[in-house]
């Protein structure tokens, strides 16, 4: 947890008299949500964009192969290549990028840079040209809720009621966990 966020979390917990029971790592929460929605483990590179850094998390068959942070330079593609080069033991790399943590226009710009990149020229060995998708900012809340709910209460999915636009969680509870 970054120091500036830790201060905010402590302040909120103190003011609301809350006791935190854990935290959720966003790339892992995103991978968990994709597994819930698609029914299969995520094979993707989750790319968090920031003003000064990029964070790349590589998932193979739903398992986190690793995370690395790269300082931003003039070329986004070069920064991504630098980050991917740190995953030498992960071959072949997943051919799907999931980009998050920016404004819509910025995320679309990142998407276009990644789609237009000549990956063979920069020596990144993908099986085929990667797909690039933008993870919507409003789904970060659902991903976080599902990951937290699955850790604490065994939630397996989040169903959004379109009429009321309110999320509902679905949990499977083991019979021995139910107190009578």
């Amino acid at each position: 947890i970054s120091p500036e966020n830790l201060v905010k979390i402590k302040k909120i917990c103190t003011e609301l008299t809350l006791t935190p029971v854990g935290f959720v790592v966003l790339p892992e929460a995103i991978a968990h949500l994709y597994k819930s929605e698609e029914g299969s483990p995520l094979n993707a590179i989750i790319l968090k964009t920031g003003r000064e850094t990029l964070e790349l998390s590589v998932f193979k068959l739903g398992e986190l192969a690793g995370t690395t942070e790269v300082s931003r330079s003039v070329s986004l593609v070069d920064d991504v290549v630098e980050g991917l080069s740190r995953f030498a033991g992960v071959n072949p790399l997943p051919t799907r990028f999931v980009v998050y943590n920016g404004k819509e226009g910025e995320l679309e710009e990142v998407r276009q840079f990644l789609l237009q990149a000549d990956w063979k020229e920069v020596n990144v060995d993908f099986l085929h040209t990667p797909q690039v998708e933008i993870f919507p900012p409003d789904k970060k809340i659902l991903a976080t809720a599902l990951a937290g709910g699955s850790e604490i209460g065994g939630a397996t999915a989040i169903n959004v009621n379109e009429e009321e636009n309110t999320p509902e969680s679905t949990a499977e509870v083991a019979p021995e966990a139910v107190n009578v």
Side-chain angles (χ1 to χ4, degrees), residues 83-99:
L84 292 176
S85 69
R86 298 176 185 174
F87 295 100
V90 182
N91 282 327
L93 287 166
T95 54
R96 179 182 187 184
F97 282 96
V98 177
V99 183

Side-chain angles (χ1 to χ4, degrees), residues 76-120:
L76 175 88
V77 174
D78 288 345
D79 299 340
V80 170
V81 169
E82 179 186 336
L84 292 176
S85 69
R86 298 176 185 174
F87 295 100
V90 182
N91 282 327
L93 287 166
T95 54
R96 179 182 187 184
F97 282 96
V98 177
V99 183
Y100 78 99
N101 204 47
K103 296 178 182 166
E104 259 184 70
E106 294 170 353
L107 292 175
E108 183 57 37
E109 188 176 314
V110 168
R111 181 178 178 275
Q112 291 305 317
F113 278 124
L114 294 173
L115 286 172
Q116 294 169 3
D118 185 356
W119 295 107
K120 291 187 191 293

Side-chain angles (χ1 to χ4, degrees), residues 127-165:
L127 291 176
H128 58 79
T129 304
Q131 300 173 348
V132 183
E133 56 192 75
I134 296 172
F135 190 76
D138 59 325
K139 287 184 85 173
K140 287 194 300 188
I141 296 169
L142 292 176
T144 304
L146 178 60
S150 68
E151 287 295 318
I152 295 172
T156 57
I158 291 184
N159 301 319
V160 177
N161 185 339
E162 294 298 328
E163 291 177 14
E164 297 176 17
N165 200 22

Side-chain angles (χ1 to χ4, degrees), residues 24-42 46 59 62 135 142-151 154-158 170:
V24 174
V25 179
L26 201 48
E28 293 177 27
I30 291 170
H32 191 74
L33 181 64
Y34 272 104
K35 181 179 179 184
S36 171
E37 290 178 346
E38 296 175 356
S40 63
L42 182 67
I46 298 181
F59 286 86
F135 190 76
L142 292 176
T144 304
L146 178 60
S150 68
E151 287 295 318
T156 57
I158 291 184
T170 304

Side-chain angles (χ1 to χ4, degrees), residues 6-42:
L6 190 57
V7 170
K8 292 175 188 175
I9 292 169
K10 283 183 179 181
K11 181 180 178 190
I12 290 170
C13 288
T14 302
E15 288 178 5
L16 299 175
T17 60
L18 300 174
T19 304
V21 292
F23 64 94
V24 174
V25 179
L26 201 48
E28 293 177 27
I30 291 170
H32 191 74
L33 181 64
Y34 272 104
K35 181 179 179 184
S36 171
E37 290 178 346
E38 296 175 356
S40 63
L42 182 67

